[in-house]
């Protein structure tokens, strides 16, 4: 590992973290700076990105750490944005490294020969791709570090986290991650809207309309095979005024339960009292493919039952139409 000397050229993946709450336009400009280093840039909105450096090293005739420092100089001087840069032989190592760089910015490069020792000393929840529930399950078993995770028999990890998630966790604890950096720009969004026939003052009616939007958005996302990292709620008031906020989901999800929780938090944050609403818009942003969402272990039997029921309800809607089944509050509002 090196934080101030040049990294050897064999490390080829760069993971870049921008400051949180970075505006979309500024984020786009950061991506443009990255594209000047390498043509292979994968956007990870709202504030991160991956860069494949293998070809860039030959083109620029320098080492990986130097490219990371060049990026920092350019984003600071041109955009006023400092970045945290992690560099390693795989996406997992690079992303784990960037998270270890203290704010506001810096460069941390990990050579392949150092991966095992460097990862091994980190707490298990510092490993990129390990979610809070997985980390909790591992710590409950006594696995507190990445080194211990790498040493535990794979069959045990599979039993703790589930087959697919367990295999992925074992591989990543050893720094193994075959995923390539795939060129990708900013992903699309998905949105649904409700317009009130009359100016809405009734809090229960507004909450029921929001629940309907949650159900519609969740169904749309699941049909498209996508899941959002964040939700945006926009309120439109009589007279043309508006209110809009975005909140990140704790975990990437297109499930109604998770979308509803964050949507309600956004509505509570609006602090409505007697505002006359004319419309609601709920938007899923920073979308990823459902096949890229890690399957987190769940210790909540009730939640697992709700997910099974959700799948059954989706099949009913696909066969008979979206309006034949749904939450009771939505049907009471419509009746």
């Amino acid at each position: 590992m090196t934080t101030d000397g040049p990294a050897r050229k064999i490390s080829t993946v760069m993971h870049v973290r921008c400051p949180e709450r970075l505006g979309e336009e500024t984020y786009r400009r950061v991506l443009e700076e990255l594209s000047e280093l390498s043509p292979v840039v994968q956007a990870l909105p709202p504030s991160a990105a991956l860069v494949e450096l293998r070809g860039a090293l030959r083109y620029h005739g320098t080492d990986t750490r130097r490219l990371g420092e060049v990026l920092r100089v350019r984003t600071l001087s041109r955009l006023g944005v400092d970045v945290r840069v992690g560099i390693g032989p795989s996406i997992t190592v690079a992303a784990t490294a960037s998270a270890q760089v203290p704010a506001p910015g810096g460069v941390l490069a990990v050579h392949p020969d150092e991966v095992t020792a460097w990862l091994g000393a980190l707490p298990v929840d510092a490993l990129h791709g390990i979610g809070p529930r997985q980390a909790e399950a591992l710590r409950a078993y006594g696995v507190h570090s990445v080194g211990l995770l790498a040493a535990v028999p794979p069959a045990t990890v599979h039993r703790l986290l589930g087959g697919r998630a367990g295999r992925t966790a074992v591989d990543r604890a050893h720094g193994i991650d075959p995923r390539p950096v795939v060129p990708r720009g900013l992903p699309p969004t998905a949105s649904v809207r409700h317009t009130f026939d009359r100016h809405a003052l009734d809090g229960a009616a507004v909450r029921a309309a929001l629940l309907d939007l949650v159900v519609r958005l969740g169904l749309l996302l699941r049909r498209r095979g996508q899941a959002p990292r964040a939700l945006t709620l926009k309120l439109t008031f009589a007279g043309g005024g508006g209110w809009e906020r975005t909140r990140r989901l704790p975990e990437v999800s297109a499930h109604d339960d998770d979308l509803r929780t964050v949507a309600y938090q956004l509505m509570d944050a609006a602090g409505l009292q007697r505002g006359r609403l004319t419309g609601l818009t709920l938007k899923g942003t920073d979308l990823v493919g459902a096949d890229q969402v890690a399957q987190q272990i769940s210790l909540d039997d009730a939640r697992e039952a709700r997910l099974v029921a959700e799948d059954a309800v989706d099949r009913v809607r696909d066969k008979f139409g979206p309006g034949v089944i749904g939450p009771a509050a939505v049907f009471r509002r419509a009746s």
Side-chain angles (χ1 to χ4, degrees), residues 40-263:
V40 186
V41 177
Q42 181 176 343
L44 301 173
S47 58
L50 289 167
V51 187
E52 173 57 62
L53 296 178
R54 191 182 303 277
L57 295 174
R58 293 192 295 268
Y59 179 82
H60 293 284
T62 186
D63 56 69
T64 54
R65 179 176 174 77
R66 175 60 180 164
L67 285 180
E69 293 292 2
V70 167
L71 174 65
R72 284 192 68 206
V73 170
R74 289 180 179 179
T75 58
L76 276 168
S77 61
R78 297 175 181 177
L79 309 177
V81 175
D82 203 351
V83 293
R84 297 184 290 156
V85 179
I87 301 170
S90 70
I91 290 176
T92 290
V93 176
T96 302
S98 67
Q100 298 303 305
V101 176
V107 179
L108 174 60
V110 182
H111 187 270
D113 293 343
E114 302 164 332
V115 166
T116 300
W118 182 74
L119 285 178
L122 296 176
V124 70
D125 57 358
L127 182 63
H128 182 71
I130 295 292
R133 292 175 182 170
Q134 291 177 324
E136 181 181 356
L138 291 168
R139 286 193 294 263
Y141 190 76
V143 179
H144 295 275
S145 70
V146 178
L148 286 174
L149 175 58
V152 171
T156 300
V157 182
H158 297 171
R159 188 169 63 253
L160 290 172
L161 303 184
R164 180 180 175 184
R167 287 190 295 272
T168 299
V170 170
D171 284 346
R172 292 184 178 180
H174 289 90
I176 299 171
D177 186 348
R179 294 175 299 167
V181 178
V182 179
R184 188 183 73 186
L186 290 180
T189 61
S191 62
V192 289
R193 177 175 172 78
H194 175 84
T195 301
F196 294 101
D197 295 333
R198 295 181 296 273
H199 299 167
L201 291 170
D202 185 346
V206 172
R207 189 61 64 107
L210 179 59
L211 178 58
D212 183 42
L213 292 184
V214 166
V215 172
R216 288 165 51 194
L217 180 61
L219 181 61
L220 172 63
L221 290 166
R222 293 192 295 274
R223 282 177 170 172
R224 287 168 48 170
Q226 296 177 310
R229 289 193 174 96
L231 286 185
T232 297
L233 177 64
K234 180 178 180 180
L235 311 181
T236 305
F237 297 99
W243 180 94
E244 183 174 333
R245 291 291 187 278
T246 299
R247 184 178 292 246
R248 303 279 287 179
L249 278 78
E251 297 173 1
V252 182
S253 174
H255 295 304
D256 292 353
D257 268 5
D258 304 321
L259 300 179
R260 180 179 62 248
T261 297
V262 175

Side-chain angles (χ1 to χ4, degrees), residues 313-332:
V313 168
D314 283 352
R315 292 196 298 271
V316 172
R317 289 171 176 150
D318 288 340
K319 185 174 182 178
F320 298 104
V324 300
I325 189 170
V330 173
F331 282 89
R332 282 197 298 269

